[in-house]
Amino acid sequence: MARVAGKNAADWPLRWDLLLRYRLIEVIALWEGRLTTNHLQRAFGIGRQQASKDINHYLAEYAPANLVYDRSLKGYKPASTFKPVFTRGVADEYLQMMHAREDLSCAFETLDVRELNTEVLLPPSRDLRPSVLRPILQACRDKLRVEIQYTSLSNPEPESRIIQPHTVAHNGMRWHARAWCEKSSDYRDFVLSRIQDEPEFTEFTEQSEHHTEQDDHAWQERLILHVTPDPRLSVAQQDVVARDYDMTDGALTIECRAAMANYIVQLLRLDGSRHRDPEAQQVVLANEDEVKGWLWGAG
């Protein structure tokens, strides 16, 4: 998110609710091309007068050249000089807003938050319980040792594990804890929906050592993944794929933690790329030899 000129975090002038309203103003105006007071009214449960005041204050204090009123649209549209102040101006911000609306509408059927002409496909939810997440997050914050009953595909029967988690992560489909496993004597990813009980805090002993985020080499190591169109495609087809992924010079560069690289490979279906039809595969990992030591099943 861009900073307002001259403002530091210590003297940030906005309440959280106002910040969210200004972000919505920018996202809707930029990506839908028409902003009305109704957008703010529906999203935040405020009156038309307050919504109009928010838009006017945004224009007067932060971005006077960003919006123009269009009588034919009966709303504001982005000016040719539009420059995001409270957002980054990327499509993911619009997607996140659509995702939040869809999620709310699914949870509260009578809540009218959906916009017309938009639809978001939500991934199936996993069995993540507050009774599991809360102690795991506390263990991460306070560097605690916890005992869990854990199941996996290789060992479907609940097994006691003592772990020292340092981060909770989401890989695009599910939540997991990055943690030191005392049984394996290594850092592992523990899928939170596979923890069967409520994690219990346990004291450190004379034999047990403290293991932190700084000790997790795969977490600290940064990788660069170079994703390119599948070379088996025609030049014209490769150009189409490059535009789809907003590639620069025919490549998409993704920086990530080594511990998260596998999940990016899975999401983009870069694993086993040579065994799929090129039109189904579309993209490949161009520098696989450089990073394969960090990938599961690397030979």
Side-chain angles (χ1 to χ4, degrees):
M1 182 180 70
R3 288 184 180 274
V4 175
K7 298 297 183 182
N8 298 316
D11 61 358
W12 186 256
L14 295 177
R15 302 192 313 268
W16 181 249
D17 61 329
L18 286 177
L19 178 60
L20 291 178
R21 293 180 202 178
Y22 294 155
R23 285 177 61 82
L24 181 139
I25 286 172
E26 291 191 349
V27 169
I28 293 297
L30 178 61
W31 294 104
E32 293 191 0
R34 177 178 178 268
L35 171 76
T36 69
T37 53
N38 191 47
H39 285 104
L40 292 168
Q41 288 177 257
R42 294 175 63 199
F44 298 102
I46 59 178
R48 184 175 300 277
Q49 184 176 359
Q50 181 61 56
S52 180
K53 181 180 177 181
D54 289 339
I55 295 173
N56 290 332
H57 193 264
Y58 167 82
L59 289 170
E61 298 294 328
Y62 300 106
N66 268 7
L67 304 177
V68 294
Y69 189 80
D70 188 316
R71 293 185 180 276
S72 63
L73 291 176
K74 297 181 180 180
Y76 292 89
K77 67 180 182 181
S80 60
T81 53
F82 184 93
K83 184 177 181 180
V85 176
F86 296 97
T87 59
R88 293 176 294 132
V90 296
D92 279 357
E93 291 167 327
Y94 183 62
L95 174 62
Q96 289 164 9
M97 189 170 291
M98 293 301 99
H99 187 287
R101 287 173 175 172
E102 191 73 18
D103 196 35
L104 281 172
S105 65
C106 290
F108 305 98
E109 293 182 359
T110 60
L111 188 62
D112 184 20
V113 295
R114 277 194 179 102
E115 290 295 327
L116 297 176
N117 311 118
T118 60
E119 186 79 19
V120 177
L121 178 64
L122 299 179
S125 59
R126 299 297 180 105
D127 180 29
L128 175 55
R129 289 156 285 137
S131 59
V132 169
L133 183 59
R134 284 196 299 262
I136 293 295
L137 284 174
Q138 183 179 346
C140 293
R141 290 194 304 266
D142 300 334
K143 297 178 173 55
L144 301 177
R145 188 170 177 252
V146 294
E147 183 174 359
I148 61 174
Q149 296 295 318
Y150 192 71
T151 61
S152 65
L153 295 181
S154 59
N155 190 4
E157 293 298 321
E159 178 185 23
S160 178
R161 298 284 190 100
I162 295 179
I163 63 173
Q164 297 177 40
H166 64 69
T167 304
V168 169
H170 191 272
N171 65 14
M173 288 296 292
R174 65 188 185 188
W175 293 93
H176 68 261
R178 181 70 180 175
W180 174 262
C181 175
E182 295 191 4
K183 176 185 176 182
S184 304
S185 296
D186 196 7
Y187 286 95
R188 299 290 177 89
D189 296 341
F190 291 89
V191 180
L192 296 185
S193 59
R194 293 179 180 174
I195 296 177
Q196 299 297 298
D197 62 342
E198 296 182 17
E200 295 184 358
F201 301 117
T202 181
E203 298 291 334
F204 283 90
T205 66
E206 292 183 0
Q207 289 75 32
S208 57
E209 299 179 354
H210 288 266
H211 294 271
T212 68
E213 176 182 349
Q214 285 68 36
D215 302 319
D216 187 348
H217 183 48
W219 189 257
Q220 298 298 330
E221 181 74 15
R222 308 293 298 196
L223 298 183
I224 301 294
L225 306 181
H226 295 292
V227 180
T228 63
D230 193 317
R232 295 174 295 173
L233 295 170
S234 69
V235 173
Q237 289 174 318
Q238 291 183 47
D239 287 342
V240 170
V241 173
R243 286 195 298 272
D244 280 346
Y245 287 86
D246 193 24
M247 294 181 178
T248 301
D249 296 328
L252 175 66
T253 300
I254 303 174
E255 181 179 355
C256 66
R257 298 183 186 276
M260 299 293 286
N262 282 290
Y263 302 116
I264 295 175
V265 167
Q266 288 181 333
L267 284 173
L268 295 179
R269 301 196 308 165
L270 301 174
D271 50 328
S273 60
R274 301 302 178 185
H275 302 295
R276 298 191 186 98
D277 181 270
E279 292 189 11
Q281 178 60 36
Q282 298 190 10
V283 290
V284 298
L285 183 59
N287 63 331
E288 182 177 357
D289 288 343
E290 297 177 21
V291 301
K292 66 181 182 181
W294 296 103
L295 303 179
W296 297 323

